[in-house]
Amino acid sequence: MMKKIFLVFLTFMFCLHGAKSQEQVTKFGIFDHLSAGLTLGTSGIGIDIATSVTEHVQVRAGYSFIPKFTYKTDVGYKMKGTSHQTEIEGKLSWGNAKLLVDVYPFKNSSLHATIGAYIGTDGIVTAQNNTPITGLDPGEGLEIADYIISPDENGIAKASIKVASFKPYLGIGIGRAVPRGRFCVSGDLGMQFWGEPAVYKKQSGEDVKLKSQDLNGHDGGLIKTLSKVTVYPVMTIRVSGRIL
């Protein structure tokens, strides 16, 4: 399935990249051309600028973000040994600055490899129950992302997932960050390396990292899934215009 999606994506990008302006750059030098772009993909909505370094190297810098997304799901908990269900509300959102270096091994081709990093948000999702839960025995709590989260004095259990704030990136793509023509549609496929995600709970106003002894939960849906992601797939479409 992934192979088919990849082939469709490449075919689509080759077709789009065929439309070019008549005004062409014949040679790229050190910082002698500049472009601005809008991006959309799994890393979010973004803007960036790019400049040429040589015929074979271009550099991009910008910012992308995922708008805040709120969802609800049910999780389990035990009270006095009896199983119950309650609803939690999760909020997914992040933003990152990026610095990417595109390397074009073939002078007359827009196929490129990319290395760089995204730097920014470490917290990617937060969750809490909106209905207070009280009267739990020690060791009891909400089952979120394989962990038992004990409610605070107000009966609210708050959890969050954090990843590395510095996220290395590797990828490939089609299209020049600084196009030879006036406009270009390009695309990239790659991976952000998040590191080992960690689950935190709010305790006395501070985020406390949960340890192995807190493991025992089984519910959590999207939160549970994100707590296990170490490599995040990035698929991006970029529409750019050369301004120099």
Side-chain angles (χ1 to χ4, degrees):
M1 183 63 181
M2 289 301 297
K3 183 178 180 180
K4 291 181 179 179
I5 293 174
F6 179 74
L7 291 175
V8 170
F9 174 76
L10 287 181
T11 302
F12 177 69
M13 291 313 305
F14 271 120
C15 291
L16 286 177
H17 190 57
K20 296 183 179 180
S21 168
Q22 291 183 352
E23 183 184 349
Q24 298 285 310
V25 174
T26 57
K27 184 177 181 181
F28 289 107
I30 299 177
F31 308 134
D32 60 353
H33 293 287
L34 184 71
S35 75
L38 298 175
T39 60
L40 178 65
T42 57
S43 60
I45 303 166
I47 58 173
D48 63 19
I49 59 173
T51 186
S52 57
V53 180
T54 71
E55 280 287 329
H56 298 282
V57 179
Q58 296 183 347
V59 177
R60 288 180 274 162
Y63 182 83
S64 60
F65 69 98
I66 297 282
K68 184 173 291 186
F69 169 70
T70 301
Y71 67 96
K72 296 181 180 181
T73 188
D74 291 332
V75 299
Y77 70 95
K78 288 185 178 181
M79 178 182 290
K80 311 298 182 183
T82 302
S83 297
H84 299 270
Q85 291 278 316
T86 190
E87 184 180 76
I88 64 171
E89 181 178 88
K91 295 181 180 180
L92 175 71
S93 179
W94 65 76
N96 292 284
K98 64 182 180 182
L99 180 63
L100 306 176
V101 178
D102 297 324
V103 178
Y104 301 84
F106 311 109
K107 180 178 178 180
N108 296 320
S109 173
S110 63
L111 181 67
H112 60 267
T114 303
I115 186 171
Y118 287 73
I119 307 167
T121 307
D122 58 356
I124 58 174
V125 63
T126 60
Q128 69 175 64
N129 56 305
N130 292 324
T131 302
I133 297 174
T134 57
L136 300 182
D137 289 336
E140 294 181 333
L142 276 64
E143 301 176 0
I144 302 176
D146 286 341
Y147 288 88
I148 300 297
I149 311 295
S150 301
D152 59 19
E153 63 275 8
N154 299 315
I156 302 298
K158 298 179 180 180
S160 62
I161 297 175
K162 295 185 179 183
V163 297
S165 57
F166 179 83
K167 308 169 186 72
Y169 173 86
L170 287 175
I172 60 173
I174 298 173
R176 288 188 175 271
V178 181
R180 292 192 184 276
R182 185 58 63 181
F183 299 100
C184 179
V185 179
S186 58
D188 289 270
L189 287 173
M191 299 174 292
Q192 287 181 14
F193 295 88
W194 279 5
E196 191 71 30
V199 179
Y200 291 76
K201 68 177 180 180
K202 189 71 72 173
Q203 182 174 303
S204 301
E206 300 291 332
D207 287 329
V208 178
K209 184 178 179 179
L210 297 180
K211 302 177 181 179
S212 58
Q213 56 262 38
D214 299 302
L215 283 166
N216 200 24
H218 302 286
D219 295 333
L222 178 61
I223 300 174
K224 181 176 180 178
T225 300
L226 287 174
S227 71
K228 301 179 183 300
V229 174
T230 59
V231 177
Y232 182 72
V234 178
M235 177 176 176
T236 304
I237 300 295
R238 180 177 186 263
V239 179
S240 61
R242 181 167 50 81
I243 53 181
L244 283 180

